[in-house]
């Protein structure tokens, strides 16, 4: 299956906490970063997930926000520090590639946001991703 989702991050399930409807799934990415996905309990069962399962975390580039430093007092669980490797700016939007520990993620943000943050290759940033915006696929 080919997907339009640019961000497909390989990793391993480290923990699963199930509620009545939703579950949180802890994932250790291949670069060593931790990521949390919030998916339905049914999806955990359908995918056969358990600690040690190989997965791909899928995140649309439009669901990745960027900050120029660590952010405290925020409910967003996934904060991945990295370095901007490229910025492509269009009339309204910018595509920003961020590298961290052997992995790359793309964020689609407004042109104004990219300018306000003075994003350019070499800029240190933190990619912010809500756990509810992380989908999982078995590898």
């Amino acid at each position: 299956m080919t997907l339009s989702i640019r961000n497909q991050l390989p990793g391993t399930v480290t923990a699963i906490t199930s509620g009545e409807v939703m579950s949180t799934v802890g994932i250790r990415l291949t670069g060593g970063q931790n990521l949390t996905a919030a998916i339905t309990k049914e999806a955990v069962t359908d995918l056969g997930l358990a600690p040690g399962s190989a997965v791909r975390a899928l995140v649309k580039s439009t669901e990745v926000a960027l900050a120029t430093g660590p952010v405290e007092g925020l409910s967003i669980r996934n904060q991945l520090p990295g370095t901007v490797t490229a910025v492509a700016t269009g009339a309204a939007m910018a595509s920003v590639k961020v590298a961290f520990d052997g992995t790359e993620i793309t964020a689609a943000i407004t042109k104004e946001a990219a300018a306000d943050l003075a994003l350019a290759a070499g800029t240190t940033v933190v990619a912010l991703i809500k756990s509810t915006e992380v989908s999982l696929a078995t590898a």
Side-chain angles (χ1 to χ4, degrees):
M1 173 188 293
T2 303
L3 299 173
S4 64
I5 298 174
R6 292 183 189 180
N7 301 312
Q8 299 183 27
L9 310 170
T12 304
V13 173
T14 57
I16 300 172
T17 304
S18 291
E20 290 187 29
V21 177
M22 297 291 290
S23 298
T24 57
V25 180
I27 302 149
R28 173 69 49 100
L29 300 178
T30 55
Q33 309 83 358
N34 292 312
L35 193 71
T36 299
I39 62 175
T40 64
K41 185 176 175 182
E42 181 180 4
V44 170
T45 301
D46 290 349
L47 292 171
L49 298 181
S53 297
V55 294
R56 283 198 175 274
L58 308 172
V59 182
K60 290 176 63 176
S61 59
T62 54
E63 299 302 334
V64 179
L66 298 175
T68 54
V71 182
E72 294 185 25
L74 192 63
S75 66
I76 296 176
R77 299 292 84 196
N78 300 309
Q79 299 192 28
L80 305 170
T83 304
V84 173
T85 59
V87 179
T89 305
M93 299 293 290
S95 176
V96 183
K97 293 188 182 296
V98 179
F100 54 93
D101 296 328
T103 303
E104 189 171 74
I105 194 166
T106 300
I109 62 175
T110 65
K111 173 182 161 181
E112 289 80 11
D116 289 349
L117 296 174
L119 298 179
T123 304
T124 300
V125 295
V126 177
L128 307 166
I129 308 163
K130 291 178 64 173
S131 60
T132 54
E133 300 304 329
V134 178
S135 297
L136 296 179
T138 50

